[in-house]
Amino acid sequence: MKLRKVSAAAATALVLALTATACGGDNGGDSNGSGGGDKIKIGIKYDQPGLGLKEPDGSFSGFDVDVATYVAKELGYEPNQIEWVETKSADRENALSRGDVKMIAATYSITDERKQKVDFAGPYLLAHQDLLVKKDSDITKATDLNDKKLCSVTGSTSAQNVKNDFAPKAQLEQRGGYSECLSALQSGSVDALTTDDSILAGYAAQDQYKGQFKLAGLKLSNENYGIGVKKGDKATLDKINAALEKMVSDGSWKKAVDENFGPANYKNERAPKIGQIVQ
């Protein structure tokens, strides 16, 4: 009888241990950012070629993916320990505060407003609003867009900013997504597409568009991309910053830029210094 009680107690202890382990997997990874957990959850975009894209075979590609994979490795996680989580722009702060993900690398521009809710490592890329035009286009500056058709996605402020600040006579064309704008640009029904140059370069680098488009090379805004972490998680923040510095120094950062953006003749800025925000 005594033996049965011991066995039952042992079984109960085992169930409790397994339950605790299962519950511990919901915090987006190891709590102090030092690795050693089974998985780390990282938020990315699923629909931005060259930055964060879910491929038809279920794999992931892009500059943000490459940066996050490198950082995760420095935190102690192998690629097969990464769980990629789609994180849409409107839900990024909530995903971090809820603990859905440990970090977010998703064209996440560092702003004062966002810094009230999350902490940012980096920046790891300085992007700019730019124009994508046909390879033989004579559009070289924003003012050339007067009386031209300028495409951007519904809800974006990029095209309106160009119209307000540079080309008041530009004809704005809105589409549901960047792919639709690219098709319109390819057919000649619009003259230019505008958003961040990194996003434009990623789309233009796709196989079906290679060699057809070019970036105008304008710097209509500064977008400092950072890796978001939960507010107050300084331990993870410091480790990510150290990883980003190492990625630049060992050449991995430049390699990732060339591989993901090169086909669109993307003239990237030098890797920004950690904590240095360009206004």
Side-chain angles (χ1 to χ4, degrees):
M1 192 69 181
K2 184 176 182 181
L3 180 60
R4 286 184 182 176
K5 289 183 178 179
V6 172
S7 298
T12 301
L14 177 60
V15 170
L16 290 173
L18 291 173
T19 302
T21 302
C23 293
D26 294 330
N27 65 358
D30 182 49
S31 61
N32 61 16
S34 61
D38 290 337
K39 293 282 186 180
I40 182 170
K41 295 180 181 179
I42 302 178
I44 58 169
K45 295 290 182 65
Y46 274 21
D47 60 352
Q48 289 186 338
L51 285 153
L53 182 68
K54 185 175 183 178
E55 302 285 359
D57 64 0
S59 63
F60 297 89
S61 65
F63 182 69
D64 284 345
V65 173
D66 290 346
V67 169
T69 300
Y70 187 101
V71 168
K73 176 75 171 178
E74 292 301 303
L75 267 61
Y77 297 92
E78 296 298 327
N80 62 3
Q81 293 178 288
I82 298 173
E83 181 178 337
W84 301 109
V85 179
E86 183 176 20
T87 314
K88 297 183 182 297
S89 296
D91 196 44
R92 287 179 295 203
E93 289 82 21
N94 290 333
L96 286 169
S97 65
R98 290 192 304 257
D100 296 346
V101 294
K102 187 69 174 176
M103 67 181 80
I104 293 177
T107 58
Y108 204 0
S109 295
I110 301 171
T111 67
D112 289 338
E113 181 180 0
R114 288 171 178 162
K115 285 194 291 185
Q116 300 300 312
K117 301 176 181 178
V118 303
D119 286 334
F120 284 99
Y124 63 90
L125 184 73
L126 176 60
H128 307 282
Q129 185 181 342
D130 200 355
L131 305 176
L132 189 71
V133 296
K134 280 191 170 181
K135 194 171 183 180
D136 59 356
S137 173
D138 59 359
I139 295 175
T140 59
K141 54 187 183 295
T143 53
D144 292 338
L145 289 169
N146 281 309
D147 299 317
K148 302 281 190 182
K149 293 181 179 179
L150 175 63
C151 193
S152 190
V153 298
T154 302
S156 170
T157 60
S158 300
Q160 190 63 52
N161 290 342
V162 171
K163 185 176 177 70
N164 291 345
D165 298 337
F166 303 100
K169 295 182 180 180
Q171 301 171 41
L172 303 187
E173 299 273 344
Q174 291 191 329
R175 299 287 193 276
Y178 291 113
S179 294
E180 294 175 39
C181 278
L182 280 165
S183 295
L185 183 60
Q186 189 178 39
S187 68
S189 59
V190 300
D191 300 292
L193 162 61
T194 187
T195 188
D196 294 0
D197 53 7
S198 59
I199 296 173
L200 294 173
Y203 275 100
Q206 295 178 95
D207 289 339
Q208 67 265 41
Y209 298 126
K210 281 182 181 176
Q212 297 184 44
F213 307 125
K214 66 180 180 182
L215 291 163
L218 309 181
K219 298 179 180 179
L220 305 179
S221 71
N222 296 318
E223 306 295 337
N224 300 269
Y225 291 172
I227 295 180
V229 301
K230 189 172 184 178
K231 191 73 177 175
D233 189 357
K234 189 175 186 305
T236 300
L237 191 74
D238 290 345
K239 289 178 190 224
I240 294 175
N241 279 331
L244 292 174
E245 289 178 338
K246 182 178 177 181
M247 187 177 187
V248 172
S249 65
D250 70 12
S252 298
W253 183 90
K254 184 65 168 64
K255 180 181 178 183
V257 168
D258 292 342
E259 288 180 350
N260 290 292
F261 304 130
N265 196 31
Y266 178 61
K267 298 197 170 34
N268 63 282
E269 298 277 3
R270 296 179 62 182
K273 292 183 179 179
I274 299 301
Q276 182 173 302
I277 307 299
V278 178
Q279 301 296 335

